[in-house]
Amino acid sequence: MKESALFETHIESLPFVHRGKVRDIYAVDDDKLLIVQTDRLSAFDVILPDPIPGKGKLLTSLSAFWFEKLAHIMPNHLTGITPESVVAANEREQVQERAFVIRRFKPLPVEAIVRGYIVGSGWKDYQTTGAICGIKLPPGLQQAEKIPGGAIFTPSTKAKVGAHDENIPVSEVERQLGKELTARVKEKAVQLYTEAADYAIQRGIIIADTKFEFGLDDAGELFLIDEVLTPDSSRFWPADQYRTGISPPSYDKQFVRDWLETQNWNKKPPAPKLLESVIRQTMEKYQEALRRLTGA
């Protein structure tokens, strides 16, 4: 039976809070939120008109896997409350297997990007400046090469829907968050990435880079929030097809980005409609990543 797609939720039993690029958010109470992963897909910070059926369930499953696996490094926002228990009976299908009930935290205004390999916007930055986010790298590196000395923290702005994230130097993060909090974010982000990357390579996947988001509670404790190490927030490469000098094939939405680059589109809304073959192959890539990483 073909999976039906959920482009957006319509939950009336809870107050609506926000509709992001992929997630719909509702208030459970003063301290908790319901986060629903829809099947929407964004590329170049634009929501595409065609959903990827089942993507939200897959991302939820993979995030749950990583939240549990990395919980010893730092706490996260999950409450363990069943999403079906906080909505009306006729709304449960909208949240089944694709939602979390989370604690409310104050999200940090920057995205914590960690790069283990030089590719994407980092590669473009390096070609122009010899650095990524102001971090100088050795000359002569090739595209997709592993960054010498280990993963680096390369933060970016957190763009609103329709706008583009921009790489920023660590000094700008320190200006916004202060040096002490920036150092904590950097330490945790690199530690999370490194442990996940070491695990993934044993299962045939290279995590080239990823995005983490963090939040603070009222006491100033740092928590891991949002999604974690999914194909939407990371660049996954099949290890057996990896080589330098090219952007390797991937298990993430880079496949969609590459197709969009061939279209006559200015990367502003509205985005072009996706071909059925692009939708199908994108979901197959996401499913293969989940299978390899979790065995599911």
Side-chain angles (χ1 to χ4, degrees):
M1 184 175 170
K2 187 176 180 181
E3 177 92 36
S4 60
L6 178 70
F7 190 80
E8 67 179 33
T9 57
H10 299 280
I11 294 173
E12 298 180 357
S13 59
L14 296 175
F16 175 76
V17 175
H18 177 68
R19 202 179 308 281
K21 295 170 189 171
V22 175
R23 284 169 290 281
D24 292 351
I25 304 174
Y26 297 85
V28 175
D29 56 30
D30 291 342
D31 301 318
K32 292 183 285 294
L33 297 169
L34 174 72
I35 306 289
V36 188
Q37 292 267 19
T38 71
D39 294 331
R40 294 193 296 270
L41 182 67
S42 73
F44 305 110
D45 297 306
V46 176
I47 297 171
L48 306 184
D50 303 288
I52 309 297
K55 180 174 87 70
K57 293 182 179 180
L58 187 149
L59 296 187
T60 301
S61 178
L62 193 52
S63 280
F65 169 81
W66 287 118
F67 276 128
E68 181 179 356
K69 188 165 189 63
L70 301 172
H72 66 282
I73 295 177
M74 67 182 305
N76 60 61
H77 62 176
L78 299 187
T79 63
I81 296 171
T82 305
E84 290 90 335
S85 69
V86 300
V87 298
N90 65 341
E91 297 167 338
R92 289 172 185 165
E93 189 175 351
Q94 296 183 63
V95 303
Q96 191 172 23
E97 298 180 1
R98 61 166 73 245
F100 292 126
V101 178
I102 65 164
R103 291 175 60 192
R104 283 184 189 246
F105 294 121
K106 180 182 178 182
L108 299 186
V110 297
E111 295 189 337
I113 312 294
V114 182
R115 302 175 190 269
Y117 294 75
I118 183 168
V119 73
S121 64
W123 171 241
K124 292 177 183 177
D125 197 356
Y126 173 75
Q127 286 180 295
T128 305
T129 67
I132 303 178
C133 292
I135 301 170
K136 282 290 183 183
L137 297 175
L141 297 179
Q142 292 187 312
Q143 185 179 17
E145 188 166 342
K146 192 171 186 177
I147 294 174
I152 58 174
F153 173 63
T154 58
S156 77
T157 59
K158 191 180 292 186
K160 295 181 180 179
V161 174
H164 295 290
D165 297 339
E166 294 182 6
N167 294 341
I168 54 176
V170 173
S171 59
E172 173 59 23
V173 182
E174 291 176 338
R175 187 188 69 78
Q176 293 187 46
L177 305 182
K179 288 190 174 183
E180 190 272 335
L181 180 54
T182 300
R184 284 161 58 198
V185 168
K186 176 182 176 181
E187 176 191 6
K188 291 298 184 183
V190 171
Q191 189 179 357
L192 290 164
Y193 167 84
T194 302
E195 178 149 333
D198 288 348
Y199 169 85
I201 194 64
Q202 298 172 40
R203 281 144 185 85
I205 289 182
I206 293 171
I207 304 179
D209 52 42
T210 197
K211 174 199 79 172
F212 296 111
E213 296 205 31
F214 297 103
L216 295 173
D217 67 5
D218 292 340
E221 184 175 0
L222 194 65
F223 288 80
L224 183 60
I225 65 171
D226 201 62
E227 61 179 325
V228 190
L229 293 151
T230 72
D232 267 17
S233 65
S234 315
R235 213 180 302 256
F236 292 160
W237 295 335
D240 58 359
Q241 299 179 55
Y242 167 73
R243 61 187 176 92
T244 59
I246 63 167
S247 180
S250 62
Y251 289 130
D252 51 59
K253 64 181 178 182
Q254 188 61 41
F255 176 78
V256 177
R257 292 192 196 101
D258 291 345
W259 181 81
L260 288 168
E261 291 279 19
T262 68
Q263 307 303 298
N264 183 22
W265 179 46
N266 62 3
K267 298 179 182 175
K268 295 180 181 178
K273 284 188 68 64
L274 298 178
L275 297 176
E276 278 296 324
S277 60
V278 173
I279 293 172
R280 185 187 70 253
Q281 290 178 70
T282 299
M283 196 58 212
E284 288 172 354
K285 288 174 178 290
Y286 277 45
Q287 288 168 339
E288 177 66 9
L290 178 70
R291 186 190 65 78
R292 287 203 181 199
L293 289 168
T294 70

